[in-house]
Amino acid sequence: MLDTQSQRELMRCPLGWSLDSRETDNTLDDVCVAGDSAIYDITTAVNEVSALNDAQGLTGDDAWRIANLEELQSITERACTQPAVNLSVFPARALSVTLAANISGRGYPFSYDFNDGTSNAFFSGVADGDLNGPTGTIWLVRR
């Protein structure tokens, strides 16, 4: 989905999810369906995006990356709640915590919560010996 103001394109569904149009022309009927790999830690997500770009596996393009907080906030629809997104544009109805490309000063990824439109820095993760770190959905963007 192209954001005409920023000229960035965001995937309509998170990484590892697929779009099901339910065979109708009405985008309000669209839904994102979680695949086998629907939740990622940041290290696995970076590796997955790199592999997808190497194979040009997303729309034949190799410029996809993990969305940062600013980009995630740009698709927040304050008039909507739980989730705070326009479901006809981004039809992921069952969003969990979303990880952002931003890394805090302590080396942990930020999270974004589409239920209420808030962001937080994680305070534990790989640096503390948690080999996987925090997990969440991943949204991809390209310019």
Side-chain angles (χ1 to χ4, degrees), residues 23-80:
E23 299 183 14
T24 73
D25 292 332
N26 186 346
T27 58
L28 289 174
D29 292 332
D30 293 353
V31 63
C32 293
V33 179
D36 292 338
S37 299
I39 304 295
Y40 295 88
D41 63 81
I42 199 69
T43 302
T44 303
V46 167
N47 293 335
E48 183 76 12
V49 173
S50 178
L52 286 168
N53 282 332
D54 288 347
Q56 294 187 341
L58 291 174
T59 65
D61 197 327
D62 64 356
W64 293 99
R65 61 180 173 73
I66 298 170
N68 62 38
L69 283 175
E70 177 185 321
E71 292 158 340
L72 294 171
Q73 291 166 342
S74 76
I75 65 173
T76 300
E77 179 60 59
R78 298 291 176 197
C80 301

Side-chain angles (χ1 to χ4, degrees), residues 69 72-73 97-100 102-104 108-114 116-123 134:
L69 283 175
L72 294 171
Q73 291 166 342
V97 170
T98 297
L99 299 183
N102 308 64
I103 302 297
S104 72
Y108 308 125
F110 277 82
S111 67
Y112 191 75
D113 186 342
F114 279 106
D116 59 12
T118 60
S119 61
N120 295 293
F122 282 100
F123 292 105

